[in-house]
Amino acid sequence: MVKNSFIPIIPQEKKQENRGSVEFQVFTFTNKIRRLTSHLKLHKRDFLSQRGLRKILGKRQRLLAYLSKKNRVRYKKLIGQLDIREPKTR
């Protein structure tokens, strides 16, 4: 498994405070997505991991949509920090 060195680190005391916040949830989903993506580069036929990745991507997408409706400034800041593309709008 390849470790990603470009993932921002949240201090331990800050983790304890806001584990339920949208930002923290998106952060943890992003870490899982990056880990699964590197796993799937090695194991292309691991279909259960592909399914899990799609589920996590959907959860993160819904959380980001919620945050973008509620507070656009926090949304833009979070996307900038985690280096996530903005979803395409229809």
Side-chain angles (χ1 to χ4, degrees):
M1 183 167 70
V2 179
K3 293 285 182 185
N4 294 325
S5 59
F6 54 87
I7 298 174
I9 304 298
I10 295 178
Q12 189 66 28
E13 63 275 356
K14 203 167 187 181
K15 277 186 188 179
Q16 296 297 332
E17 292 174 11
N18 354 337
R19 287 206 171 182
S21 72
V22 176
E23 287 91 348
F24 184 80
Q25 290 181 56
V26 171
F27 172 79
T28 55
F29 286 146
T30 303
N31 282 344
K32 286 181 182 180
I33 289 167
R34 290 184 176 151
R35 243 190 351 228
L36 275 172
T37 304
S38 65
H39 168 78
L40 286 171
K41 285 179 183 173
L42 296 174
H43 308 281
K44 293 182 184 351
R45 295 178 56 89
D46 188 354
F47 300 116
L48 288 176
S49 292
Q50 287 178 14
R51 180 173 185 259
L53 177 62
R54 283 194 298 270
K55 288 181 76 130
I56 293 171
L57 282 168
K59 287 180 184 180
R60 185 179 76 174
Q61 186 177 7
R62 286 192 301 273
L63 277 171
L64 286 172
Y66 167 79
L67 187 60
S68 122
K69 285 180 203 164
K70 291 293 181 185
N71 193 335
R72 193 73 180 169
V73 175
R74 282 172 48 195
Y75 170 76
K76 288 286 190 183
K77 183 179 174 190
L78 182 64
I79 281 188
Q81 281 179 342
L82 295 178
D83 195 29
I84 303 173
R85 290 182 304 190
E86 238 180 288
K88 296 178 183 174
T89 56
R90 292 185 181 189

